[in-house]
Amino acid sequence: MAASLRIYQVAVPAPLHGFFDYLALPHTPSILPGARVRVPFGKREMVGVVLGETDKSALALNRLKQVLQVLDHEPVLPANLLQLLVWIAEYYHHPIGEVVHAALPTLLRQGRAAEAGVAVWSLTPTGCAVEATDLSRAPAQKHLLEALSAAPEGLDAEQLAQVSARWSATLKALHTKGWVSAHTRDCLQAAKAAQSEPPELNPAQRLAVEAILSGLGGFRAYLLHGVTGSGKTEVYLAAIDKVLAQGRQALILVPEIGLTPQGISRFQQRFRVPIAVLHSGLSDAERLCAWLMARDGKAPIVLGTRSAVLAPIKDLGLIVVDEEHDGSYKQQDGLRYSARDVAVMRASREKIPIVLGSATPSLESLKNARDGAYTLLDLPDRTGSAVMPQVRLLDMRRLKPSEGLSLPLREAITARLEKGEQSLLFLNRRGFAPVWMCYDCGWLAPCRRCDAQLTLHQRRQKLICHHCGSEQEIVKTCPTCQSANLHPIGEGTERVEGALQKFFPKARIERIDRDSTRGKGMLEEKLRRVHDGEADILIGTQMLSKGHDFPNVTLVGILNADQGLYGVDFRSGERLFQTILQVSGRAGRADKPGQVLIQTWH
């Protein structure tokens, strides 16, 4: 009996370390590690992932519960990824069930089938033989038949809806006649964007690409240190081109959702392949589609933010971590991990090269390069005729700012407006004002849920905590002295936007921060307007500080640069330097010279 006993070690999404033992269903085949099962857990049912099989348990057999349902005949998580997740749980001291749960898309966590095909309708041979003129008394059917005739590859539901608002009933009638049939295609298709030819690489770029290509087929970590505008992305693209030519896949990590639209566009122009995009802004169905396409090897390129490092990739050949220094790669709640460090470990375990790129590498990466753990690749110059911008400090002790903007900065913006060039103002503080204060007693509006102070958001008429997210109505009377003499202190992007509208009433102003890009597609639309020359002045937070290529931006103004000096984080000085250098790099990236003005009290 003991020899035939099957006990499965299952990871369930509970805040408890270790796995849980469950008895196998009788008369069922073995469940492979990485497959999902539905199991009883306390008074609930949960979807867990099988980690392994054994014939022994630390618990008595009569205390073991039985698996309720096997959800997958094949593992949804491949063995190499499952082993990486076990390492993550041990290294970061986090329950394995929650780690595995974090690696699965929401729909798979809920027990949905691991399928993401799209139904496509096309004409049958009988339907192709039908003359549209024979349907003069059925105009809706005639219209749909003509649309399907013009699309031999078929039309999906979204495309059919553009043909006719009542396509469903009409399609049903055509199907009843045997004129149309459905088949399933992959949920991701290669983009039909015009393919661009790769530019000529400069000597430094060629040396970097050759070094990376020499490491294909084994683990090696490269630190690509290039000044802003030096063409790091072209180095990535050239290396990825070689990896794809070998029939393998590439994983590219970016720190912010804001960088994915520009990244997708660059990759679509260079490669005619499906690109799986993974970030928190996707719908559940979109995320499942991209996840499965990456797992099945049907998406040669996988592009995403930090969670993409946990995605299953069938034949991974190269990992790229862009802006490797960025703090966004660190998950700050739930499973706390560094996506950059996990990416390095994943590359090591899968014996593939990894490229860490940045204009301002983190100190630990620089030390790894100095110690020989990483291979340092330098790109010391900007590409083409572009030169580094001139940087000038504005001593705010001698200048009287008006709503956060000094006179020299306002004059520089005016000069750019007259030339038809764009200006970018950086302030890493969203909202209207970071402090709501009583002028009589000095009371500051505190958050009721944490120790942070509330930020005034004037347009929403709310006081919002940027630490925990709690909101409350604006306090009109001081709770300490009962005074009504309350005022906003300091500037946020919302307040500076209002000041710009007052100083430059004819200028087209775009504010880009988390508040102004909440809606789906809003960030892409704002970036499109900037690239198309429909914006004159940009004001934004760190969403604008890295990775973006705005050829017509020739002026960068950094407001309140000193705030980074007062952070409690021991890395505050390092991060302030990185931020200033990164946002300065947005100026003068084309053939027009750039200027950077830094407003500082120190």
Side-chain angles (χ1 to χ4, degrees):
M1 179 177 176
S4 62
L5 187 66
R6 287 182 294 145
I7 298 172
Y8 292 110
Q9 300 162 335
V10 180
V12 297
L16 301 168
H17 289 272
F19 50 77
F20 296 86
D21 292 342
Y22 287 89
L23 291 170
L25 284 167
H27 314 298
T28 57
S30 290
I31 309 171
L32 296 174
R36 294 171 303 147
V37 290
R38 196 180 298 277
V39 294
F41 193 81
K43 297 181 180 179
R44 296 176 293 162
E45 292 182 6
M46 285 189 172
V47 174
V49 173
V50 174
L51 300 179
E53 180 181 335
T54 183
D55 58 0
K56 297 178 182 178
S57 175
L59 296 177
L61 293 181
N62 60 1
R63 294 185 60 190
L64 296 183
K65 296 180 180 180
Q66 197 173 72
V67 171
L68 299 176
Q69 183 185 4
V70 180
L71 298 175
D72 304 305
H73 298 297
E74 297 292 332
V76 292
L77 293 173
N80 57 351
L81 180 59
L82 200 59
Q83 292 165 6
L84 178 69
L85 297 175
V86 171
W87 174 85
I88 290 172
E90 293 173 353
Y91 185 78
Y92 291 104
H93 301 281
H94 200 82
I96 180 62
E98 293 190 346
V99 174
V100 173
H101 195 68
L104 293 172
T106 300
L107 295 178
L108 293 188
R109 298 175 195 171
Q110 297 170 352
R112 289 273 295 273
E115 301 170 354
V118 175
V120 176
W121 294 84
S122 56
L123 293 180
T124 63
T126 307
C128 291
V130 176
E131 293 291 339
T133 53
D134 298 339
L135 295 171
S136 56
R137 299 182 64 183
Q141 293 183 24
K142 176 184 175 183
H143 185 48
L144 200 59
L145 197 74
E146 290 172 339
L148 289 167
S149 298
E153 71 280 2
L155 299 174
D156 59 31
E158 186 176 338
Q159 294 166 325
L160 288 166
Q162 295 174 356
V163 176
S164 170
R166 299 181 58 192
W167 66 270
S168 182
T170 308
L171 191 71
K172 187 176 180 180
L174 295 177
H175 183 255
T176 303
K177 295 177 179 179
W179 294 353
V180 297
S181 62
H183 65 277
T184 303
R185 67 161 170 81
D186 291 333
C187 56
L188 280 182
Q189 298 289 301
K192 296 180 180 179
Q195 198 164 11
S196 62
E197 289 297 320
E200 186 72 27
L201 299 180
N202 62 34
Q205 288 175 312
R206 281 199 301 273
L207 287 173
V209 172
E210 290 168 3
I212 296 167
L213 295 182
S214 69
L216 292 179
F219 169 66
R220 200 165 181 182
Y222 299 92
L223 178 61
L224 183 62
H225 183 192
V227 299
T228 53
S230 60
K232 293 186 290 294
T233 303
E234 285 301 329
V235 173
Y236 304 152
L237 293 171
I240 291 167
D241 193 17
K242 182 68 173 178
V243 171
L244 267 56
Q246 295 178 350
R248 307 193 72 183
Q249 294 168 274
L251 169 64
I252 301 93
L253 298 180
V254 294
E256 301 271 4
I257 294 176
L259 297 180
T260 50
Q262 180 174 295
I264 294 168
S265 176
R266 291 284 294 273
F267 281 95
Q268 286 176 341
Q269 290 170 7
R270 182 68 65 86
F271 304 110
R272 291 282 184 88
V273 297
I275 299 173
V277 180
L278 291 165
H279 58 71
S280 59
L282 302 175
S283 67
D284 291 344
E286 288 171 334
R287 188 172 186 85
L288 177 62
C289 166
W291 195 89
L292 290 174
M293 290 285 284
R295 186 198 66 170
D296 296 340
K298 296 177 179 179
I301 296 174
V302 182
L303 174 67
T305 50
R306 62 174 175 256
S307 61
V309 77
L310 305 178
I313 301 175
K314 186 175 182 179
D315 190 8
L316 188 57
L318 175 70
I319 298 177
V320 173
V321 183
D322 193 25
E323 309 292 355
E324 64 86 27
H325 67 278
D326 200 280
S328 299
Y329 283 123
K330 289 188 177 181
Q331 175 73 28
Q332 301 291 347
D333 52 25
L335 167 61
R336 291 172 171 83
Y337 69 98
S338 166
R340 180 199 61 198
D341 295 349
V342 170
V344 173
M345 176 55 68
R346 183 168 186 175
S348 173
R349 297 172 76 96
E350 300 200 21
K351 295 181 172 54
I352 60 171
I354 180 170
V355 181
L356 309 174
S358 176
T360 55
S362 60
L363 293 180
E364 59 266 36
S365 293
L366 287 171
K367 184 178 188 304
N368 279 327
R370 180 178 295 176
D371 294 346
Y374 295 171
T375 300
L376 181 63
L377 305 174
D378 265 319
L379 300 178
D381 303 307
R382 284 189 159 182
T383 57
S385 59
V387 296
M388 297 300 291
Q390 293 181 338
V391 180
R392 177 185 166 198
L393 296 179
L394 300 180
D395 189 347
M396 301 302 286
R397 293 171 298 180
R398 296 179 175 85
L399 302 169
K400 291 185 178 181
S402 177
E403 298 191 63
L405 302 174
S406 63
L407 179 60
L409 180 58
R410 299 199 302 270
E411 290 174 342
I413 294 173
T414 301
R416 281 3 184 244
L417 290 173
E418 291 172 351
K419 294 179 183 178
E421 298 171 355
Q422 294 171 315
S423 304
L424 186 155
L425 301 186
F426 172 79
L427 176 61
N428 204 21
R429 190 174 269 164
R430 60 192 175 92
F432 185 83
V435 175
W436 184 240
M437 188 179 97
C438 174
Y439 272 17
D440 290 342
C441 71
W443 172 84
L444 306 176
C447 176
R448 297 168 182 166
R449 291 193 344 199
C450 67
D451 292 334
Q453 294 172 354
L454 295 173
T455 298
L456 172 65
H457 287 247
Q458 193 170 63
R459 290 191 178 182
R460 296 175 60 187
Q461 285 294 292
K462 295 278 187 181
L463 292 172
I464 301 175
C465 177
H466 289 178
H467 181 69
C468 70
S470 67
E471 301 182 8
Q472 66 182 67
E473 299 299 320
I474 296 177
V475 180
K476 302 294 185 182
T477 305
C478 175
T480 302
C481 68
Q482 312 309 313
S483 169
N485 193 17
L486 280 76
H487 298 273
I489 304 295
E491 295 87 22
T493 51
E494 191 180 310
R495 189 171 194 171
V496 173
E497 180 187 24
L500 290 170
Q501 290 169 345
K502 182 179 75 172
F503 290 125
F504 310 103
K506 295 182 179 179
R508 297 166 296 178
I509 300 167
E510 283 290 347
R511 175 166 62 94
I512 299 180
D513 56 26
R514 197 185 305 172
D515 298 318
S516 67
T517 57
R518 288 182 182 276
K520 190 175 180 67
M522 289 181 66
L523 175 60
E524 290 86 343
E525 176 60 21
K526 284 178 175 289
L527 293 176
R528 183 200 64 76
R529 289 201 289 266
V530 175
H531 282 286
D532 292 351
E534 298 175 15
D536 301 312
I537 305 173
L538 290 71
I539 169 69
T541 57
Q542 61 181 359
M543 292 178 73
L544 281 177
S545 68
K546 57 221 168 193
H548 297 291
D549 189 6
F550 303 131
N552 202 36
V553 169
T554 57
L555 172 69
V556 166
I558 300 177
L559 314 181
N560 196 6
D562 306 318
Q563 64 177 331
L565 295 173
Y566 303 110
V568 295
D569 189 342
F570 72 95
R571 289 181 181 268
S572 291
E574 177 188 357
R575 287 185 175 153
L576 175 62
F577 166 74
Q578 289 169 337
T579 300
I580 289 177
L581 202 61
Q582 288 283 344
V583 74
S584 298
R586 300 315 108 201
R589 294 174 71 94
D591 54 355
K592 300 174 183 176
Q595 183 183 26
V596 180
L597 301 179
I598 302 175
Q599 294 190 167
T600 173
W601 295 89
H602 299 289

